[in-house]
Amino acid sequence: MTTTTSTSVRYKSLLTGIEKVLSKSRSSLDISQAIQQGYGEDASVFGGAGVLTGVMDAMLDRVHDKVTEEMLAYLQQQGIEQDLSKVEELVQTIEAIEKAQHAENEADRESAKASLQQTQLPEGVKPMDVVNHRAYQLMLEEQTKLTEMICKYEEETKELEEVVKEAEAKVQADMTQVEEVGRELDRAADVCATLS
Protein backbone atom coordinates (compact mmCIF):
# COMPACT_ATOMS: atom_id res chain seq x y z
CA MET A 1 0.00 0.00 0.00
CA THR A 2 2.99 2.32 -0.02
CA THR A 3 2.67 5.18 -2.48
CA THR A 4 6.08 6.74 -1.79
CA THR A 5 7.72 4.80 -4.65
CA SER A 6 5.82 6.87 -7.18
CA THR A 7 4.51 10.40 -7.19
CA SER A 8 1.30 10.59 -5.19
CA VAL A 9 -1.95 11.59 -6.82
CA ARG A 10 -2.36 14.49 -4.41
CA TYR A 11 1.16 15.74 -5.16
CA LYS A 12 0.50 15.52 -8.89
CA SER A 13 -2.70 17.51 -8.32
CA LEU A 14 -0.75 20.14 -6.38
CA LEU A 15 1.80 20.43 -9.19
CA THR A 16 -1.00 20.67 -11.76
CA GLY A 17 -2.65 23.40 -9.69
CA ILE A 18 0.59 25.37 -9.44
CA GLU A 19 1.14 25.04 -13.19
CA LYS A 20 -2.43 26.21 -13.87
CA VAL A 21 -1.98 29.25 -11.62
CA LEU A 22 1.30 30.17 -13.30
CA SER A 23 -0.12 29.59 -16.78
CA LYS A 24 -3.21 31.62 -15.98
CA SER A 25 -1.04 34.44 -14.68
CA ARG A 26 1.12 34.23 -17.81
CA SER A 27 -1.83 34.08 -20.20
CA SER A 28 -3.56 37.02 -18.52
CA LEU A 29 -0.80 39.28 -19.87
CA ASP A 30 -1.44 40.47 -23.41
CA ILE A 31 2.10 41.42 -24.35
CA SER A 32 1.22 42.67 -27.82
CA GLN A 33 -1.41 44.98 -26.40
CA ALA A 34 0.93 46.16 -23.62
CA ILE A 35 3.65 46.96 -26.17
CA GLN A 36 1.14 48.70 -28.41
CA GLN A 37 -0.11 50.81 -25.50
CA GLY A 38 3.35 51.48 -24.12
CA TYR A 39 5.23 52.15 -27.33
CA GLY A 40 2.71 52.61 -30.08
CA GLU A 41 4.53 53.49 -33.27
CA ASP A 42 7.77 53.95 -31.29
CA ALA A 43 8.12 50.15 -31.13
CA SER A 44 9.80 50.33 -34.52
CA VAL A 45 12.87 51.80 -32.77
CA PHE A 46 13.38 48.38 -31.22
CA GLY A 47 12.79 46.51 -34.42
CA GLY A 48 9.01 46.54 -34.29
CA ALA A 49 6.35 45.22 -31.95
CA GLY A 50 7.11 41.66 -33.02
CA VAL A 51 10.68 41.87 -31.74
CA LEU A 52 9.56 43.38 -28.42
CA THR A 53 6.83 40.79 -28.11
CA GLY A 54 9.38 38.02 -28.67
CA VAL A 55 11.75 39.52 -26.06
CA MET A 56 8.95 39.91 -23.51
CA ASP A 57 7.67 36.39 -24.21
CA ALA A 58 11.13 34.94 -23.71
CA MET A 59 11.62 36.92 -20.52
CA LEU A 60 8.26 35.84 -19.11
CA ASP A 61 9.01 32.23 -20.07
CA ARG A 62 12.26 32.44 -18.08
CA VAL A 63 10.39 33.94 -15.10
CA HIS A 64 7.79 31.17 -15.37
CA ASP A 65 10.50 28.51 -15.49
CA LYS A 66 12.36 30.08 -12.56
CA VAL A 67 9.23 30.32 -10.39
CA THR A 68 8.32 26.73 -11.26
CA GLU A 69 11.84 25.57 -10.41
CA GLU A 70 11.81 27.46 -7.10
CA MET A 71 8.36 26.11 -6.21
CA LEU A 72 9.46 22.53 -6.90
CA ALA A 73 12.59 23.07 -4.83
CA TYR A 74 10.52 24.54 -1.99
CA LEU A 75 8.02 21.66 -2.10
CA GLN A 76 10.89 19.18 -2.07
CA GLN A 77 12.64 21.01 0.76
CA GLN A 78 9.45 21.04 2.83
CA GLY A 79 8.80 17.33 2.14
CA ILE A 80 5.34 18.03 0.74
CA GLU A 81 5.38 15.01 -1.58
CA GLN A 82 6.20 12.71 1.32
CA ASP A 83 3.49 14.30 3.46
CA LEU A 84 0.90 13.89 0.73
CA SER A 85 2.05 10.31 0.21
CA LYS A 86 1.43 9.72 3.91
CA VAL A 87 -2.09 11.09 3.50
CA GLU A 88 -2.68 8.68 0.62
CA GLU A 89 -1.30 5.81 2.68
CA LEU A 90 -3.67 6.74 5.51
CA VAL A 91 -6.62 6.79 3.13
CA GLN A 92 -5.59 3.45 1.66
CA THR A 93 -5.13 2.00 5.15
CA ILE A 94 -8.57 3.17 6.22
CA GLU A 95 -10.11 1.72 3.07
CA ALA A 96 -8.34 -1.60 3.67
CA ILE A 97 -9.50 -1.65 7.29
CA GLU A 98 -13.07 -0.92 6.24
CA LYS A 99 -12.90 -3.69 3.63
CA ALA A 100 -11.48 -6.14 6.18
CA GLN A 101 -14.14 -5.16 8.70
CA HIS A 102 -16.84 -5.68 6.11
CA ALA A 103 -15.46 -9.13 5.30
CA GLU A 104 -15.20 -9.90 9.02
CA ASN A 105 -18.78 -8.79 9.56
CA GLU A 106 -19.94 -11.01 6.71
CA ALA A 107 -18.02 -13.93 8.19
CA ASP A 108 -19.57 -13.22 11.60
CA ARG A 109 -23.03 -13.18 10.08
CA GLU A 110 -22.45 -16.50 8.37
CA SER A 111 -21.00 -17.94 11.56
CA ALA A 112 -23.97 -16.71 13.56
CA LYS A 113 -26.37 -18.27 11.06
CA ALA A 114 -24.56 -21.59 11.25
CA SER A 115 -24.49 -21.46 15.06
CA LEU A 116 -28.17 -20.66 15.24
CA GLN A 117 -29.00 -23.55 12.99
CA GLN A 118 -26.92 -25.97 15.07
CA THR A 119 -28.14 -24.98 18.50
CA GLN A 120 -31.50 -24.80 20.09
CA LEU A 121 -32.29 -21.54 21.76
CA PRO A 122 -33.58 -21.37 25.31
CA GLU A 123 -37.28 -20.90 25.68
CA GLY A 124 -38.33 -17.30 25.06
CA VAL A 125 -35.15 -16.35 23.19
CA LYS A 126 -35.64 -15.68 19.56
CA PRO A 127 -32.93 -16.00 16.90
CA MET A 128 -33.17 -12.27 16.18
CA ASP A 129 -32.45 -11.56 19.88
CA VAL A 130 -29.15 -13.45 19.60
CA VAL A 131 -28.28 -11.78 16.31
CA ASN A 132 -29.14 -8.35 17.68
CA HIS A 133 -27.07 -8.93 20.81
CA ARG A 134 -24.05 -10.08 18.80
CA ALA A 135 -24.44 -7.19 16.40
CA TYR A 136 -24.57 -4.78 19.35
CA GLN A 137 -21.37 -6.24 20.82
CA LEU A 138 -19.58 -6.03 17.49
CA MET A 139 -20.71 -2.46 16.95
CA LEU A 140 -19.41 -1.45 20.39
CA GLU A 141 -16.03 -3.05 19.70
CA GLU A 142 -15.77 -1.51 16.25
CA GLN A 143 -16.90 1.87 17.51
CA THR A 144 -14.10 1.90 20.08
CA LYS A 145 -11.50 0.88 17.50
CA LEU A 146 -12.72 3.38 14.94
CA THR A 147 -12.89 6.22 17.44
CA GLU A 148 -9.26 5.64 18.41
CA MET A 149 -8.18 5.44 14.77
CA ILE A 150 -10.15 8.51 13.77
CA CYS A 151 -8.57 10.57 16.57
CA LYS A 152 -5.12 9.49 15.46
CA TYR A 153 -5.79 10.18 11.78
CA GLU A 154 -7.43 13.53 12.51
CA GLU A 155 -4.29 14.68 14.31
CA GLU A 156 -2.10 13.59 11.41
CA THR A 157 -4.48 15.16 8.90
CA LYS A 158 -4.41 18.48 10.76
CA GLU A 159 -0.63 18.48 10.65
CA LEU A 160 -0.66 17.73 6.92
CA GLU A 161 -3.26 20.42 6.27
CA GLU A 162 -0.97 22.95 7.97
CA VAL A 163 1.87 21.89 5.70
CA VAL A 164 -0.35 22.25 2.62
CA LYS A 165 -1.57 25.69 3.80
CA GLU A 166 2.02 26.83 4.19
CA ALA A 167 2.81 25.61 0.68
CA GLU A 168 -0.24 27.40 -0.72
CA ALA A 169 0.82 30.61 1.06
CA LYS A 170 4.28 30.27 -0.49
CA VAL A 171 2.75 29.75 -3.94
CA GLN A 172 0.62 32.87 -3.45
CA ALA A 173 3.66 34.87 -2.30
CA ASP A 174 5.63 33.70 -5.34
CA MET A 175 2.73 34.65 -7.61
CA THR A 176 2.74 38.11 -6.04
CA GLN A 177 6.45 38.36 -6.80
CA VAL A 178 5.85 37.31 -10.41
CA GLU A 179 3.16 39.95 -10.74
CA GLU A 180 5.51 42.55 -9.21
CA VAL A 181 8.20 41.57 -11.74
CA GLY A 182 5.61 42.07 -14.47
CA ARG A 183 4.78 45.53 -13.14
CA GLU A 184 8.49 46.36 -12.93
CA LEU A 185 8.89 45.27 -16.54
CA ASP A 186 6.00 47.52 -17.50
CA ARG A 187 7.62 50.45 -15.65
CA ALA A 188 10.96 49.71 -17.32
CA ALA A 189 9.23 49.64 -20.69
CA ASP A 190 7.59 52.99 -19.89
CA VAL A 191 10.97 54.47 -18.93
CA CYS A 192 12.48 53.17 -22.17
CA ALA A 193 9.60 54.66 -24.09
CA THR A 194 10.06 58.06 -22.52
CA LEU A 195 13.80 57.97 -23.16
CA SER A 196 13.38 57.25 -26.80
Side-chain angles (χ1 to χ4, degrees):
M1 272 193 228
T2 302
T3 57
T4 54
T5 56
S6 63
T7 304
S8 73
V9 173
R10 285 170 176 75
Y11 186 70
K12 286 179 183 177
S13 295
L14 176 62
L15 295 179
T16 301
I18 291 170
E19 182 59 34
K20 282 181 183 178
V21 167
L22 292 174
S23 295
K24 184 176 179 182
S25 174
R26 171 70 170 87
S27 65
S28 68
L29 297 173
D30 185 354
I31 296 172
S32 297
Q33 182 182 3
I35 289 173
Q36 184 62 33
Q37 287 177 347
Y39 293 101
E41 296 299 320
D42 294 336
S44 62
V45 171
F46 300 102
V51 171
L52 285 176
T53 300
V55 169
M56 292 295 289
D57 277 335
M59 195 161 61
L60 288 174
D61 287 343
R62 284 193 304 272
V63 168
H64 178 273
D65 292 345
K66 181 68 174 170
V67 168
T68 301
E69 181 181 307
E70 288 179 7
M71 281 303 303
L72 291 175
Y74 175 79
L75 293 174
Q76 186 176 18
Q77 175 188 5
Q78 295 297 316
I80 301 299
E81 181 175 6
Q82 292 80 9
D83 291 341
L84 292 175
S85 291
K86 287 178 186 177
V87 168
E88 286 188 22
E89 287 177 15
L90 290 174
V91 168
Q92 290 174 352
T93 300
I94 290 171
E95 289 173 349
I97 289 169
E98 288 174 349
K99 186 176 180 180
Q101 287 172 345
H102 179 71
E104 185 178 314
N105 289 343
E106 287 298 317
D108 284 347
R109 266 192 221 106
E110 293 302 318
S111 174
K113 280 182 186 177
S115 295
L116 285 173
Q117 290 172 354
Q118 293 175 357
T119 60
Q120 270 191 327
L121 297 174
E123 193 173 316
V125 176
K126 298 175 187 168
M128 277 312 288
D129 294 338
V130 175
V131 170
N132 288 336
H133 179 69
R134 179 65 182 141
Y136 176 74
Q137 288 175 326
L138 288 172
M139 285 190 300
L140 286 178
E141 292 171 10
E142 292 304 318
Q143 181 183 16
T144 302
K145 290 178 191 175
L146 288 173
T147 301
E148 292 171 359
M149 283 176 30
I150 287 170
C151 289
K152 177 186 171 191
Y153 291 140
E154 283 178 345
E155 288 177 26
E156 292 178 3
T157 300
K158 285 178 185 177
E159 292 172 6
L160 292 173
E161 287 174 348
E162 286 300 320
V163 169
V164 170
K165 284 180 185 177
E166 290 173 12
E168 289 173 346
K170 175 66 175 155
V171 168
Q172 186 59 41
D174 288 345
M175 287 306 303
T176 302
Q177 287 178 338
V178 167
E179 291 170 0
E180 182 58 35
V181 167
R183 287 190 289 275
E184 288 177 18
L185 290 173
D186 287 343
R187 286 191 291 269
D190 290 341
V191 168
C192 288
T194 57
L195 292 175
S196 55

